[in-house]
Amino acid sequence: EADNQRSFERWADTTADLAVPRVVDELSTAEVLVSSWEEGDDWTTVCATWPEDDRRRLANILLRFFLEGMFGQRMLHADWHPGNMRFRRGSGGVQLLLYDFGCVYYPSEDVSLALLRLIRATMKRDESPFGLFLKLGFSPEFLEPLAAKLPALCRVLFDPFCAEYPYVMDDWHLSQRVADVLGDDRWNFRIAGPPELIFLMRAF
């Protein structure tokens, strides 16, 4: 966990958008991880009191954090929830403060590129998604019977990436729309996926 945190520290050193508490090596042991103390506003405070412009800036930071983690750093914090994040405002702008690095996903270059191509193929409709799901580690045995449904499924999964306007997340209805596309095949789709993608799904 300390090694994960140090990796995110190095990332934070390259951008003003991200802050990560420092590992205090001289106080840490094999059983106890000690970090510097960093404070910020919690999610409820942000939603209730921050002005809209700052909340939009924060939304862009969160999106860039995911995209840069998946496709640039190839390092995803896979335990996203309000308790592991705080948020700050200052003269330098808006900042994401991140805690708890016990669950970090390091996608391979092949997986990262396959996901990027899958999103692009959904936007451009110029490549079959079946082979790209295989590159992500999906089992052909369970995936092939529903190959014809994959383009429609991708259009649901990656709908926010395909919008050319600010996307309203309440309009996504992900679970219901996936069920409408796959029907009972949704169980085959879940079985087909490799176990390590659970970390990507959590971050996504």
Side-chain angles (χ1 to χ4, degrees), residues 10-65:
R10 290 190 289 272
W11 181 0
D13 287 340
T14 69
T15 175
D17 293 343
L18 178 64
V20 173
R22 299 286 177 181
V23 174
V24 183
D25 291 298
E26 60 270 25
L27 298 179
S28 299
T29 70
E31 291 79 27
V32 178
L33 173 58
V34 179
S35 300
S36 61
W37 183 261
E38 300 281 351
E39 288 195 28
D41 290 341
D42 61 25
W43 184 256
T44 302
T45 301
V46 169
C47 294
T49 67
W50 280 28
E52 182 177 355
D53 285 350
D54 284 340
R55 286 187 279 118
R56 286 188 179 276
R57 291 186 187 98
L58 177 59
N60 283 322
I61 287 172
L62 290 169
L63 178 59
R64 289 200 307 270
F65 177 67

Side-chain angles (χ1 to χ4, degrees), residues 7-200:
S7 294
F8 278 85
E9 284 179 38
R10 290 190 289 272
W11 181 0
D13 287 340
T14 69
T15 175
D17 293 343
L18 178 64
V20 173
R22 299 286 177 181
V23 174
V24 183
D25 291 298
E26 60 270 25
L27 298 179
S28 299
T29 70
E31 291 79 27
V32 178
L33 173 58
V34 179
S35 300
S36 61
W37 183 261
E38 300 281 351
E39 288 195 28
D41 290 341
D42 61 25
W43 184 256
T44 302
T45 301
V46 169
C47 294
T49 67
W50 280 28
E52 182 177 355
D53 285 350
D54 284 340
R55 286 187 279 118
R56 286 188 179 276
R57 291 186 187 98
L58 177 59
N60 283 322
I61 287 172
L62 290 169
L63 178 59
R64 289 200 307 270
F65 177 67
F66 172 80
L67 295 174
E68 172 66 17
M70 184 66 201
F71 303 118
Q73 304 288 335
R74 295 211 307 274
M75 180 172 64
L76 283 179
H77 192 293
D79 195 14
W80 280 67
H81 63 76
N84 283 342
M85 293 180 283
R86 290 292 185 272
F87 313 95
R88 299 197 287 212
R89 291 181 295 163
S91 58
V94 175
Q95 192 175 54
L96 166 64
L97 172 59
L98 204 58
Y99 305 121
D100 192 346
F101 300 88
C103 187
V104 173
Y105 173 51
Y106 296 92
S108 69
E109 184 176 9
D110 287 344
V111 166
S112 178
L113 289 175
L115 181 63
L116 188 61
R117 287 173 60 191
L118 197 57
I119 294 171
R120 183 186 182 281
T122 304
M123 297 171 66
K124 302 291 186 180
R125 303 185 183 188
D126 60 355
E127 186 174 6
S128 169
F130 179 73
L132 298 175
F133 274 106
L134 297 185
K135 289 181 180 295
L136 285 174
F138 278 71
S139 164
E141 176 186 359
F142 292 102
L143 195 65
E144 191 167 11
L146 50 98
K149 297 181 178 181
L150 293 180
L153 174 64
C154 287
R155 191 64 181 85
V156 173
L157 293 176
F158 304 119
D159 200 19
F161 292 92
C162 298
E164 296 182 1
Y165 47 82
Y167 193 82
V168 180
M169 298 302 291
D170 288 343
D171 294 341
W172 198 5
H173 305 298
L174 181 61
S175 297
Q176 184 57 54
R177 291 172 66 196
V178 167
D180 290 344
V181 170
L182 292 181
D184 289 339
D185 284 334
R186 65 186 183 277
W187 304 110
N188 274 10
F189 182 74
R190 292 174 180 174
I191 292 170
E196 63 269 17
L197 278 193
I198 189 67
F199 301 112
L200 172 59

